Amino acid sequence: MTSDSEQTAAFDRFVAIDWSGAVGAYDGVAVAECRAGTDGPALLPPPAGRRWTRTAVAAWLEAQAEGGGRVLAGIDCAFSLPFAVAAGYLPPGGDARALWALVDRVAGEALDFHGAGFARHADYVADFWLRGPRPAGWVEPHRAAEMACRRDGLGAPDSPFKQFGPKTVGPGALAGMRVLHHLRGRLDGRLAVWPFEAPAAQPLVMVEIFPRLFWRRSGRTASTKVRARAELDAALARLGSGPAVAADPLTDHATDALIAAAGLRALAMDPTIWSPPGLDPVIARTEGWIFGVRG
């Protein structure tokens, strides 16, 4: 848990990334950014081509650590697995960073940080729901942060052990772990991944986000996706933000990234967000936490 003496210094930019664990060509990644103040978030175009890829996001984040100013970046993916299960994959005392390295090693031949190969590996496949009817005897494992998010009334994240379906977060989680492992190797000392590492003066701080949480904090309770500009801008206003800067038509991936960027800015300077009651030292080193959940 982050102590009062470890609270982060002010951030200059707030980046939110709507994520995808899909294979091949996919359109599920969107990147939005807002700056300190109240100006609305802007949707960022991909650096090349018509769509963002996980590889492009990783390279872009690495460049931000060199660009001056401090960046708080959130990715919409689970940063770990429930350790009631995942601890068995690691030597005694293994933590989330060891899990990231394992996922990357097992799935490392897949391009673009695709990670689903880990879930299909013979040593781990029995723990995952890959497709079809629920396997006999399979109980959906959840991290403490996911259960706390439900108790807080901020949404109901799926377990990363579920690897298919319209709401699935599993493939994205495994891909995200590979990206985190890659960036830690590239940005030694310039990156903190909260809550596994206490943010201090690093130019890039990364957190796990759940966009529905920011919609709920804006006062929106409906679970349907938002694609209407008026509805988006009204929600942004309730988070103290100006209207979005993004071209029409808006996709739900774009609106999730835009609301999350403004939501990160709205919460970042609240010290209680960085030290939620439900986050203990064991969870902080193993399962991690969803930014904005109190628990």
Side-chain angles (χ1 to χ4, degrees):
M1 186 182 299
T2 308
S3 71
D4 290 343
S5 63
E6 293 170 331
Q7 292 304 323
T8 59
F11 292 97
D12 302 290
R13 297 159 57 206
F14 304 85
V15 173
I17 301 163
D18 201 52
W19 196 239
S20 173
V23 67
Y26 50 92
D27 291 313
V29 177
V31 182
E33 174 186 85
C34 61
R35 305 214 169 231
T38 60
D39 287 348
L43 196 64
L44 302 186
R50 61 171 295 268
R51 58 170 64 92
W52 282 96
T53 64
R54 292 180 293 269
T55 300
V57 168
W60 186 86
L61 285 169
E62 183 178 343
Q64 306 319 297
E66 310 284 356
R70 295 193 75 224
V71 178
L72 176 62
I75 301 184
D76 176 22
C77 71
F79 280 10
S80 188
L81 297 174
F83 255 62
V85 178
Y89 305 159
L90 304 169
D95 60 9
R97 288 168 288 195
L99 178 62
W100 301 344
L102 175 64
V103 171
D104 188 66
R105 184 166 65 251
V106 171
E109 292 186 4
L111 300 177
D112 194 29
F113 297 104
H114 192 245
F118 179 85
R120 298 186 181 96
H121 189 278
D123 290 345
Y124 314 110
V125 66
D127 294 328
F128 289 87
W129 182 3
L130 297 181
R131 65 182 67 85
R134 180 188 291 263
W138 192 84
V139 177
E140 186 171 358
H142 279 284
R143 297 176 299 149
E146 293 156 8
M147 300 308 295
C149 189
R150 294 176 182 224
R151 290 194 301 270
D152 285 357
L154 296 171
D158 271 0
S159 170
F161 277 106
K162 183 180 177 184
Q163 290 282 308
F164 77 101
K167 292 175 53 184
T168 186
V169 298
L174 296 173
M177 292 176 214
R178 292 192 64 197
V179 169
L180 293 172
H181 178 70
H182 169 80
L183 289 174
R184 286 194 77 247
R186 300 280 296 178
L187 295 172
D188 184 39
R190 291 169 289 163
L191 167 68
V193 183
W194 179 86
F196 312 103
E197 298 143 338
Q202 298 94 337
L204 177 61
V205 176
M206 294 181 64
V207 296
E208 175 183 339
I209 58 173
F210 181 48
R212 185 170 297 178
L213 177 153
F214 299 111
W215 290 113
R216 293 285 175 90
R217 286 188 174 275
S218 77
R220 187 178 189 274
T221 58
S223 60
T224 54
K225 292 289 189 178
V226 174
R227 298 179 181 87
R229 182 177 298 276
E231 190 172 4
L232 168 63
D233 286 344
L236 289 170
R238 291 191 291 269
L239 293 176
S241 172
V245 180
D248 288 322
L250 291 170
T251 68
D252 55 278
H253 303 295
T255 58
D256 276 355
L258 290 159
I259 195 73
L264 284 172
R265 181 175 62 188
L267 297 182
M269 293 311 293
D270 179 352
T272 67
I273 295 296
W274 298 93
S275 297
L279 177 61
D280 65 34
V282 173
I283 293 171
R285 62 181 294 274
T286 56
E287 293 190 346
W289 201 253
I290 301 168
F291 192 76
V293 170
R294 298 187 185 276

